Amino acid sequence: MSMNQKQLARLVAAAVLGAAALSASAQNVAIVNGKAVPTARVNALKAQIEASGQPVTPEMDKMIKDEVIAREVFMQEANRRGLAATDAYKQQMELARQTVLIRALFEDFQKKNAVTDAEAKAEYDKFVAANGGKEYKASHILVESEDRAKAIIAEIKGGKKFEDIAQKESKDPGSGARGGDLDWANPNNYVPEFTEALVKLKKGEMTDTPVKSQFGWHIIRLDDERQAELPKFEDVKPQIVQQLQQQKLQQFQDQLRKSAKIQ
């Protein structure tokens, strides 16, 4: 081999060794007391932070790197003291192992049982059916006895203000303080007896006779009515999907418990 060939071989060997050293360096974020700290730990911590919903900005890179290095320093000291052999450590590790594995199970289930657009739309249609139609703005006075309720109706017809009596006598503290005002609501929100009487009223009308429910005796007045304004499907789809995901996961958990043989 000529002198030039030998020199070329040395240069090639040096370049190869240099590339290998560079590659090894890129795989490690630091060397702590002679032990390599792999860059994969930095990536894992970044992924964990992002999974919690917090974006990882470039400004956070040094902080994350420093945290990973600090953890290696502390782990080395803990191992030097033999803490990994203690029962307390082993118990905590077992609990952590269970938590991680169970979380992986649930994530795997949700990935394989994603909520479809059709399921989300069907749930939205159920919501529309239950909450669509008319909304009513009602007021009421709630008292304990039928006789007192009848007397109040007579007093209002005689000129006394509905709102004044509601503030003084209504057993419903929330609406009573507002003169009986129940604000806008779907009629399905009320107990059946209340709803049945309310929807028969015309705007501005009051019930001629008291309405009995599990809460007592009501004098009901319909102040206004309107068509319900419901959100569009696309606006509430994320919330519906999240709700259905939780329902599916809960059903999965319940089924596993039910099918398990527990003695």
Side-chain angles (χ1 to χ4, degrees):
M1 183 179 291
S2 69
M3 185 62 66
N4 286 340
Q5 288 175 318
K6 289 179 180 178
Q7 188 177 10
L8 178 62
R10 284 198 299 270
L11 289 173
V12 170
V16 170
L17 288 172
L22 181 63
S23 176
S25 174
Q27 291 174 0
N28 299 318
V29 69
I31 307 293
V32 177
N33 296 324
K35 185 176 179 181
V37 181
T39 304
R41 290 190 194 173
V42 172
N43 297 333
L45 186 54
K46 282 184 179 180
Q48 191 176 49
I49 294 171
E50 289 172 341
S52 70
Q54 180 181 348
V56 176
T57 62
E59 292 77 16
M60 295 172 66
D61 283 347
K62 184 179 184 307
M63 180 186 73
I64 293 172
K65 177 182 175 181
D66 290 345
E67 173 67 16
V68 168
I69 293 171
R71 288 187 181 196
E72 177 61 31
V73 171
F74 301 148
M75 284 194 300
Q76 287 186 19
E77 180 60 18
N79 286 325
R80 189 186 69 78
R81 298 187 183 196
L83 297 179
T86 63
D87 288 340
Y89 169 77
K90 291 176 181 177
Q91 289 168 1
Q92 289 296 316
M93 282 298 293
E94 174 57 21
L95 289 174
R97 185 187 71 84
Q98 292 174 12
T99 299
V100 172
L101 193 56
I102 291 169
R103 185 188 301 127
L105 170 67
F106 293 163
E107 289 175 352
D108 179 70
F109 172 81
Q110 290 185 314
K111 187 184 299 182
K112 294 175 180 175
N113 296 272
V115 176
T116 65
D117 288 346
E119 288 173 330
K121 184 62 167 60
E123 188 68 16
Y124 174 79
D125 291 342
K126 281 166 56 179
F127 167 77
V128 170
N131 297 278
K134 288 184 177 180
E135 288 181 328
Y136 294 83
K137 191 174 191 298
S139 296
H140 81 140
I141 301 169
L142 178 63
V143 293
E144 291 184 358
S145 74
E146 183 181 14
D147 288 342
R148 182 57 194 141
K150 287 180 177 178
I152 289 173
I153 291 173
E155 289 173 10
I156 294 171
K157 288 184 176 180
K160 285 194 175 181
K161 286 193 68 177
F162 185 104
E163 290 77 9
D164 292 343
I165 298 175
Q167 286 181 337
K168 292 176 182 176
E169 297 192 45
S170 183
K171 284 173 56 187
D172 180 2
S175 67
R178 300 189 300 270
D181 184 11
L182 290 167
D183 208 350
W184 289 100
N186 185 286
N188 294 327
N189 290 354
Y190 301 120
V191 292
E193 303 91 339
F194 191 103
T195 300
E196 185 180 352
L198 176 64
V199 298
K200 290 178 181 177
L201 297 173
K202 294 180 180 177
K203 182 177 175 180
E205 282 186 346
M206 179 182 71
T207 49
D208 284 327
T209 57
V211 177
K212 189 179 188 303
S213 79
Q214 66 198 72
F215 303 108
W217 295 86
H218 305 262
I219 300 98
I220 305 169
R221 187 183 70 194
L222 175 59
D223 298 322
D224 204 352
E225 61 183 69
R226 68 185 182 190
Q227 285 298 123
E229 296 179 8
L230 299 177
K232 294 179 181 177
F233 172 61
E234 291 302 325
D235 293 337
V236 294
K237 182 181 176 182
Q239 294 93 317
I240 293 174
V241 168
Q242 185 178 29
Q243 178 184 338
L244 291 177
Q245 282 176 336
Q246 290 300 317
Q247 288 179 7
K248 284 190 174 190
L249 181 58
Q250 186 62 55
Q251 291 167 358
F252 174 62
Q253 294 174 7
D254 291 345
Q255 184 58 42
L256 287 178
R257 289 191 182 99
K258 185 178 178 181
S259 60
K261 294 181 180 178
I262 302 172
Q263 298 175 323

